[in-house]
Amino acid sequence: MVWLLCGKRLFIKDMAYYLLPPNGNPASIAPSLGRIKRGVGTTQAPSNGATNGTTQAPYPYATDAEPNNPTVIPRDILGEFHFTFLIRHPRSSIPSYYRCTVPPLDTITGFSKYMPSEAGYNELRRVFEYLLSVGQIGPKTAGEDSEKHSRNAESKKGVEVCVIDADDLLDNPRGVVQAYCKSVGIKYDPDMLKWETDEDHNQAVEAFKKWTGFHEDVINSKDLKPRLHKKKVTSVQDEDTEWIEKFGEEGAQIIRETVDANMTDYEYLKQFAIKG
């Protein structure tokens, strides 16, 4: 997400999973994000700045819902952000995260329980579809020929749909980052793909120190170059065999079920991905 603050653009990276109630439950607006109305009978300030005076348990909230909004964030606040959607194929992301929740990495990451619901693909799709439905994004897709929409006034209603697939980024970092910069209105600089100095390294260590064990490859890298070989398409049997060898029968079954459960949402979002 990109947010304009005091003339500067603030970049925020987080999972859409945390913007929605758990387990597909219906959403209502988080009390801390409700707009405080002022006027007759509303002179009393909230009892604290966190909940606007609401003291009940965190969820479910005793607040109103917004029509069709799947998140706990009001539409007017969502409207202040310029959204980018980063996706990764479940066959890569699911085992990668699972690995961080089992020995020996679990003692480093502090995560010792894998929760399939945290995959987040369905939540990401629901946020995406909502923003598309209210015209905050789309219908034009980043990298798409502008002429296709130039005669359609409706196409100018939202910012471009901007989806980046991790495999595309690794195969063609320069092309994808250039296309991304064009979409969000940032001047592309080749140095964006390099972080070679001690200052860059220290900044990365500081940024990721809360997530020990999750980002070591990035911290120990110096740049982003095209990988030498595109990721090989594997069969289900090959994937299962690899996961059994790494995580055992039970772990492999959990991974397979989670991958399969998220493929439809991933493939839906993939169709919108930037072509660098």
Side-chain angles (χ1 to χ4, degrees):
M1 297 187 291
V2 184
W3 191 34
L4 190 62
L5 178 66
C6 299
K8 296 183 178 181
R9 303 185 79 180
L10 174 68
F11 286 77
I12 302 172
K13 179 181 180 295
D14 211 332
M15 292 182 63
Y17 172 83
Y18 296 112
L19 306 182
L20 285 69
N23 304 316
N25 287 316
S28 57
I29 300 304
S32 60
L33 297 178
R35 300 302 192 188
I36 304 174
K37 298 179 180 179
R38 301 298 185 194
V40 177
T42 61
T43 55
Q44 183 177 357
S47 61
N48 61 58
T51 64
N52 286 355
T54 300
T55 57
Q56 88 175 55
Y59 183 83
Y61 304 128
T63 55
D64 294 332
E66 290 187 342
N68 302 317
N69 184 351
T71 79
V72 298
I73 302 176
R75 181 183 170 185
D76 60 342
I77 294 181
L78 291 173
E80 296 176 4
F81 292 88
H82 185 150
F83 283 84
T84 298
F85 298 83
L86 180 63
I87 58 175
R88 188 183 184 193
H89 199 293
R91 68 169 173 248
S92 297
S93 64
I94 302 302
S96 177
Y97 178 47
Y98 185 87
R99 171 175 167 267
C100 293
T101 66
V102 295
L105 266 184
D106 61 337
T107 57
I108 298 174
T109 63
F111 285 70
S112 57
K113 181 179 180 181
Y114 178 75
M115 298 174 61
S117 63
E118 288 187 315
Y121 289 88
N122 180 259
E123 289 81 3
L124 187 62
R125 176 176 179 171
R126 288 162 60 198
V127 172
F128 179 93
E129 289 185 318
Y130 172 68
L131 296 176
L132 195 63
S133 72
V134 297
Q136 184 169 334
I137 61 173
K140 187 177 181 296
T141 300
E144 191 176 29
D145 185 0
S146 298
E147 292 297 321
K148 181 176 178 181
H149 293 281
S150 61
R151 294 183 297 274
N152 184 358
E154 187 74 4
S155 68
K156 300 177 182 178
K157 131 174 130 164
V159 300
E160 292 181 339
V161 172
C162 193
V163 178
I164 296 177
D165 187 284
D167 280 321
D168 296 334
L169 180 62
L170 292 173
D171 289 337
N172 182 16
R174 179 174 179 175
V176 170
V177 173
Q178 278 185 315
Y180 173 74
C181 288
K182 181 179 179 181
S183 178
V184 299
I186 298 173
K187 184 179 179 181
Y188 171 74
D189 185 334
D191 286 342
M192 291 176 174
L193 304 179
K194 296 183 289 185
W195 43 91
E196 302 171 313
T197 68
D198 289 341
E199 182 182 357
D200 291 336
H201 179 76
N202 292 335
Q203 183 178 0
V205 170
E206 179 65 23
F208 291 128
K209 68 180 181 181
K210 181 181 177 181
W211 303 100
T212 304
F214 286 96
H215 303 293
E216 264 43 44
D217 287 346
V218 174
I219 290 174
N220 294 319
S221 66
K222 294 183 177 181
D223 55 24
L224 184 58
K225 297 177 180 177
R227 54 188 176 191
L228 298 178
H229 305 286
K230 290 190 175 183
K231 198 168 186 70
K232 184 175 67 172
V233 177
T234 56
S235 68
V236 170
Q237 183 177 358
D238 288 341
E239 291 171 354
D240 289 343
T241 299
E242 177 185 349
W243 298 337
I244 289 172
E245 290 176 354
K246 290 181 176 180
F247 307 114
E249 293 277 356
E250 182 179 352
Q253 182 178 350
I254 292 171
I255 292 170
R256 168 55 57 200
E257 291 174 352
T258 310
V259 168
D260 291 348
N262 288 280
M263 280 301 301
T264 299
D265 294 321
Y266 165 77
E267 289 173 344
Y268 168 80
L269 293 166
K270 172 66 176 177
Q271 68 181 314
F272 298 97
I274 288 176
K275 305 296 188 294

